[in-house]
Amino acid sequence: MNFFKTLGEKPWLDPTMANSDALVAVDPLLASRTALRFIMGIVSVLFFLFIITYLSRSQYPDFQALAGQPWQPFTDPGRLWLNTGILAASSVAMQWGLWSARREQINRAVAGVSMAVFFAVLFLVAQLELWRHLQGMGYYVNTNPANSYFYLLTAVHGLHLLGGLLVLANVVFRVWYDGALTRLSGPLALCTHYWHFLLVVWLLLFALLTSRVETINMLAALCGF
């Protein structure tokens, strides 16, 4: 009978129940966390569709991969490795800043975030330098479908990183303006997740752009192209 009694309870009509510990406090970052997951889902679908169209387009005779032969630019992916290391350093610095914020070590948290911003901006500059390098070699955006995808994918990824920088700047400014640096860890955790997410996306793009023709053809065949 206790089971039916429990089902018949109306806690919203009982003030003693409303004030009890059974009601869990609402997470102040729940909406932000949900929005972040939604955004990362949308971005994942966007890049997934780009990759699928890349593999489909690779089966046309005018498509020439950017790696495989000695004269192709990403046969030696040294520049891409350098840029990847810079982005990874930004992600590591964000994680360090988050750990410091959770320990309420504000100075270290600010240093971590500053380093993350520095490396993120450096990554964007290095990507632009990579564009300039490819154009110097004659790999323009409209000379080969693979070139077009390289510029498109790196541009979209860079724009998402730039958007993350703007959000991070807004978070730090609001926390600093409110004088609530001890509450920095919550929003900083969301930014850190987004940073790691963009690093994973870039690693996938890195692997795709430096794939040889045989690998691209195998992936395209697996997708049914």
Side-chain angles (χ1 to χ4, degrees), residues 41-103:
I42 295 295
V43 175
S44 299
V45 171
L46 177 66
F47 278 103
F48 174 76
L49 293 176
F50 277 141
I51 291 172
I52 291 297
T53 59
Y54 177 90
L55 294 175
S56 174
R57 190 65 179 84
S58 68
Q59 300 308 295
Y60 286 74
D62 61 339
F63 185 94
Q64 295 181 354
L66 297 175
Q69 301 300 326
W71 60 84
Q72 292 172 316
F74 294 153
T75 301
D76 177 12
R79 286 177 176 266
L80 287 175
W81 276 119
L82 176 62
N83 295 0
T84 302
I86 295 172
L87 186 60
S90 179
S91 194
V92 170
M94 280 290 286
Q95 187 65 48
W96 180 56
L98 174 61
W99 286 339
S100 301
R102 284 175 174 168
R103 298 189 186 108

Side-chain angles (χ1 to χ4, degrees), residues 54 66-68 74-77 80 205-212 216:
Y54 177 90
L66 297 175
F74 294 153
T75 301
D76 177 12
L80 287 175
L205 297 180
F206 178 92
L208 182 69
L209 293 171
T210 56
S211 294
R212 297 172 181 267
I216 294 175

Side-chain angles (χ1 to χ4, degrees), residues 58-149:
S58 68
Q59 300 308 295
Y60 286 74
D62 61 339
F63 185 94
Q64 295 181 354
L66 297 175
Q69 301 300 326
W71 60 84
Q72 292 172 316
F74 294 153
T75 301
D76 177 12
R79 286 177 176 266
L80 287 175
W81 276 119
L82 176 62
N83 295 0
T84 302
I86 295 172
L87 186 60
S90 179
S91 194
V92 170
M94 280 290 286
Q95 187 65 48
W96 180 56
L98 174 61
W99 286 339
S100 301
R102 284 175 174 168
R103 298 189 186 108
E104 297 187 358
Q105 298 171 337
I106 301 304
N107 291 336
R108 291 188 178 185
V110 172
V113 172
S114 301
M115 291 172 60
V117 170
F118 170 76
F119 283 120
V121 173
L122 185 61
F123 171 78
L124 294 175
V125 173
Q127 290 289 76
L128 290 175
E129 178 61 25
L130 181 60
W131 281 18
R132 198 181 66 82
H133 174 71
L134 286 182
Q135 289 177 356
M137 296 175 66
Y139 286 83
Y140 298 101
V141 66
N142 57 350
T143 52
N144 173 19
N147 299 1
S148 305
Y149 271 96

Side-chain angles (χ1 to χ4, degrees), residues 151-205:
Y151 288 107
L152 173 65
L153 292 172
T154 52
V156 174
H157 180 268
L159 287 174
H160 281 92
L161 182 59
L162 187 61
L165 284 170
L166 294 176
V167 173
L168 178 62
N170 181 56
V171 166
V172 172
F173 173 76
R174 284 194 293 111
V175 171
W176 186 276
Y177 183 78
D178 295 339
L181 290 175
T182 55
R183 295 203 300 269
L184 178 64
S185 62
L188 188 58
L190 301 181
C191 293
T192 303
H193 290 161
Y194 186 69
W195 242 247
H196 297 336
F197 168 73
L198 287 183
L199 175 61
V200 172
V201 169
W202 170 248
L203 291 176
L204 290 175
L205 297 180

